[in-house]
Amino acid sequence: MHPLTELVSTAHSPATDPHLNVWGWEIPVYLFLGGFTAGIMVLSGWALWKGRRNPRPHTTFALASSGLFILGLILISLGMLALFLDLGHKPYVWRLYLTIKPWSPMSWGAWILLLVYPVLVAGILLDPPRALMRRLPSLRPLVEWVGARAAVRHATGFVSIVVGVALGIYTGILLSALGARPLWSSALLGPLFLVSGLSTSAAFAHWASPEPEERVELAWLDNLFLTIELGLVGMLLIGLLTATEAHAEAARLLLGGPYTAVFWVGVVFVGILLPLVIQSLAVTHRIIHTPIAPVLVMLGGLALRFVIVAAGQHSHWPRLS
């Protein structure tokens, strides 16, 4: 039994290769949910590593509670389902785990996703919901043992940060490693998708956390992530415009091309600039905190993936004469 062979094609003729432009909604949704989960793991892992504990007797969406880890478990599972739906040969997905290919993003991603689940489960066990303890009372000795040891919380937080960063960067590297599309041919996609995932998860936690001080902290943090994301978007476009003509043509898809409106309005203005202004006013006590900015950030993060995936499939290298 041979493992799956990964092939990369630079062909782009719809006459001879009509099957190449096949990524629909599944891949952007998978990238968004994977980035969202990565952000949750980094932020909640940071809270655990700093020694924070859930200040309330029940599960919430505070950073040190298990609510975000539970949400992450649901989101990554939905993302995996979307990825599975996109696969052309679904019965053979298990072959990805027969080997490790150091230079294959697909191989790295498969193993990173395998690590995500036990880390999320460990985060849940540090502050398990009451319903879970009622259904599985045999877990109580383990939960009490873990809860009494700060070193375990610190270690879980550190591992969560590392795996979360790897997952977030992978969602961008998955595209940038595909050399057939010039728009994706940038090392900045990994950091961009990581920061976008951190921003969307910080925005959600800012909205959902019941702790007032933590909400203000998350709003400031999300403003930082949005500012960095805006800078990375600018650097991505400048890098493309100053590279080869094929890269410049790919950038023009977002600068006057068919994806201009959705990119600049949906991603940059609605998803970054507008929530940045709203949250800046909120943290300086000029307006109250509302769910408007967090919702805009999450919609912008989703739009970013859809635009990059769709525009990337329309970018191509010059045809050989």
Side-chain angles (χ1 to χ4, degrees):
M1 184 72 68
H2 296 286
L4 289 177
T5 300
E6 183 177 339
L7 299 175
V8 177
S9 173
T10 57
H12 54 79
S13 171
T16 60
D17 302 280
H19 60 285
L20 292 177
N21 189 19
V22 295
W23 278 0
W25 62 269
E26 298 92 346
I27 295 301
V29 167
Y30 160 66
L31 296 177
F32 172 72
L33 295 177
F36 201 146
T37 303
I40 286 174
M41 296 179 72
V42 172
L43 294 177
S44 292
W46 173 79
L48 293 176
W49 184 67
K50 295 289 287 184
R52 292 189 185 182
R53 291 179 178 269
N54 182 12
R56 299 177 185 252
H58 56 276
T59 300
T60 70
F61 284 121
L63 292 182
S65 182
S66 62
L68 287 176
F69 282 110
I70 295 172
L71 177 63
L73 195 63
I74 295 171
L75 293 179
I76 195 62
S77 298
L78 291 175
M80 292 287 282
L81 175 61
L83 180 63
F84 180 76
L85 292 175
D86 179 75
L87 293 177
H89 300 282
K90 296 177 178 62
Y92 304 107
V93 63
W94 55 273
R95 291 190 182 182
L96 286 170
Y97 297 100
L98 293 181
T99 184
I100 298 178
K101 295 185 176 182
W103 307 113
S104 169
M106 292 289 186
S107 181
W108 275 103
W111 289 100
I112 289 172
L113 289 168
L114 199 63
L115 292 175
V116 166
Y117 281 92
V119 175
L120 290 172
V121 170
I124 294 171
L125 291 178
L126 290 175
D127 179 41
R130 293 177 178 178
L132 178 63
M133 296 305 295
R134 286 196 297 267
R135 290 178 177 273
L136 298 173
S138 58
L139 290 176
R140 188 171 300 278
L142 174 62
V143 170
E144 292 176 351
W145 182 86
V146 169
R149 286 160 174 79
V152 175
R153 299 181 68 87
H154 291 315
T156 303
F158 177 77
V159 173
S160 182
I161 292 172
V162 172
V163 175
V165 169
L167 175 61
I169 292 178
Y170 153 71
T171 60
I173 292 179
L174 177 65
L175 298 181
S176 63
L178 300 176
R181 298 292 179 253
L183 184 66
W184 299 338
S185 185
S186 172
L188 289 173
L189 281 184
L192 174 60
F193 278 23
L194 170 62
V195 173
S196 176
L198 289 168
S199 175
T200 53
S201 59
F204 176 83
H206 165 220
W207 175 18
S209 175
E211 310 304 323
E213 292 184 2
E214 188 172 270
R215 292 185 66 189
V216 174
E217 178 185 43
L218 285 165
W220 278 110
L221 196 58
D222 193 29
N223 283 350
L224 174 62
F225 292 143
L226 289 172
T227 303
I228 296 173
E229 184 180 357
L230 187 62
L232 288 171
V233 167
M235 292 171 62
L236 174 65
L237 292 175
I238 293 172
L240 291 171
L241 289 170
T242 56
T244 67
E245 181 59 28
H247 291 94
E249 285 294 329
R252 293 186 190 105
L253 291 169
L254 310 176
L255 300 169
Y259 298 94
T260 302
V262 67
F263 177 72
W264 289 101
V265 176
V267 177
V268 177
F269 179 72
V270 173
I272 299 179
L273 293 177
L274 188 56
L276 188 58
V277 171
I278 294 174
Q279 289 182 158
S280 296
L281 293 174
V283 296
T284 54
H285 308 291
R286 299 181 183 180
I287 62 174
I288 62 173
H289 289 270
T290 69
I292 295 176
V295 170
L296 292 179
V297 171
M298 289 184 282
L299 290 176
L302 181 60
L304 173 67
R305 273 75 173 182
F306 269 96
V307 170
I308 294 297
V309 170
Q313 292 183 90
H314 281 81
S315 66
H316 56 79
W317 298 101
R319 288 185 174 89
L320 297 176
S321 56

